[in-house]
Amino acid sequence: MGIQTRISMNANALRAWSSAMGEPHWLLERRIQALELAGALELPKVEKTKLEKWDIYETGDYKAEHPWSGLEDAPEVVRGLVASPVNGGLIVQFNSDVVYTKLSESLAAQGVILTDLHTAAKEHEELVQRYLYQAVKPEEHRLSAVHSALWSGGVFLYVPDGIEVEVPIQAIFYSDTSGALFAPHILIVTGNNSKISYVDHCISRRDDIKVLHNGVVEVFAGAGSKVQVASVHQLAAATTDFTQRRAIVLADGGVEWIVGEMNNGYTASDTKTILQGNGSVSDAKVIAIGSGDQKLSYTTQAQHFGRSSVSQMITRAVMREEATAIINGITKIEKGATHCDGQQTERVLMLSPNARGDANPILLIDEDDVTAGHAASVGQVNAEQIYYLMSRGISRSEAEYLVIFGFLAPVISEIPLEGVRSRLQDVVEKKLGRS
């Protein structure tokens, strides 16, 4: 079956759909170019993973949704994720469409923009045209091209120079309809000396529907800006998750990634920061829990171009039952990026003799005057810690949970919204078989 059949759209259908959405001509042309690339490019190379055997072709079709008049129209699972009250901003995508958007009047008055990406392409054309597809390019591989051709809904978040947003902006992506396209594109652009926290939750509820979540996050952090991106994925077993996250950071800017990978299906994610400017900083924290027969691949990368740039990467994964995880950490320091510091740690905790974890720290150094280091470990729950807790009257199952939760806590505690932190703790308990 050809790629155009699998992705449910040909060029003519794509033109008709884009026209119906009112998209500008330049965006349609980029979609058409990406569609043409999709037929010629290879699948992404995911280490020790046969991606072609995954359900990556079930892209689905665009299905329009009615806008919500308010959160009372939202399913209970969505309402449970919303921080109350919504002091900053909230955007909700249901299947293929954004159905709810709210931004506080005070932030809008300061020039902050929060809208779906279709609207942004029309109303903020110059900004979107400048940044869209510049961090994750369509020509990288087949799935990036498919995404670039077919994304729908999505988020555009813009913070002007000098504006510091103290309350998080939240997004929720929710899928529960058979055969619906689920490929949001998140585009975050921050001006110089600005500050923002963005938090999203990606969730699906149907285990009887095979669909590919093909998502992209692009972050452009201006000079001196501070950007925090927290994301929790909790997709159903029949949903295959392929997510690319990419940030480009200018001089003295900083990006912090906080990622909770709590899916029940096959997952491949790649979170990368390009430290373009001198003095730029990247801090990436990823936690993951695998169960059943899941196959999982998590890659975290930092690429240093700027002098005196700093990167820190921490990945902690817990594997249960027959789950298999490939954990890659890649630090690349380019020639001329003097006085850089790149550190990474990958730790995998296995709770079953049938679980598998593979931690691969990789340092690629093309400059002499730098500091870099890595650490990796794969092992079982520490028996001495369990014994100590049991000697204090705690049951074995509770002792194991406390050790595991302590293993994951350094990342969970960094989530900037209390409601999302609490929700993630609940998801962790469920994934560990406690509810």
Side-chain angles (χ1 to χ4, degrees), residues 18-75:
S18 179
S19 176
M21 298 294 289
E23 292 183 341
H25 180 71
W26 64 266
L27 179 52
L28 170 60
E29 290 305 307
R30 290 192 188 183
R31 287 188 184 274
I32 296 296
Q33 291 169 8
L35 186 67
E36 293 171 351
L37 284 172
L41 293 173
E42 299 293 328
L43 290 172
K45 305 298 183 185
V46 180
E47 187 172 349
K48 300 180 181 179
T49 301
K50 295 181 179 179
L51 203 62
E52 66 275 8
K53 294 187 176 181
W54 291 19
D55 290 321
I56 56 170
Y57 303 105
E58 305 292 340
T59 305
D61 298 306
Y62 173 81
K63 296 183 178 180
E65 301 288 348
H66 295 293
W68 295 347
S69 58
L71 289 177
E72 61 274 7
D73 296 336

Side-chain angles (χ1 to χ4, degrees), residues 16 79 144 169 202 239 243 252 282 323 344 363 402 414-415 417:
R79 293 198 302 271
S144 64
I169 303 296
C202 188
T239 303
T243 299
D252 299 316
S282 172
Q344 57 169 282
L363 299 177
L402 290 173
E414 295 293 324
I415 300 287
L417 276 177

Side-chain angles (χ1 to χ4, degrees), residues 226 249-257 273-284 301-313 331-333 337-344 370-372:
K226 306 300 177 188
V249 189
L250 300 186
D252 299 316
V255 167
E256 180 183 13
W257 299 101
T273 304
I274 300 171
L275 296 158
Q276 194 74 50
N278 298 338
S280 51
V281 176
S282 172
D283 183 357
Q301 303 185 59
Q303 186 174 14
H304 295 252
F305 289 96
R307 297 186 300 275
S308 300
S309 53
V310 177
S311 67
Q312 173 73 43
M313 299 184 293
T331 303
K332 179 72 165 71
I333 301 180
T338 56
H339 307 296
C340 288
D341 184 12
Q343 304 294 329
Q344 57 169 282
V370 300
T371 303

Side-chain angles (χ1 to χ4, degrees), residues 185-203:
H185 190 110
I186 296 96
L187 179 59
I188 301 172
V189 180
T190 65
N192 298 335
N193 302 307
S194 60
K195 179 182 177 182
I196 190 70
S197 290
Y198 165 87
V199 183
D200 71 31
H201 201 115
C202 188
I203 187 168

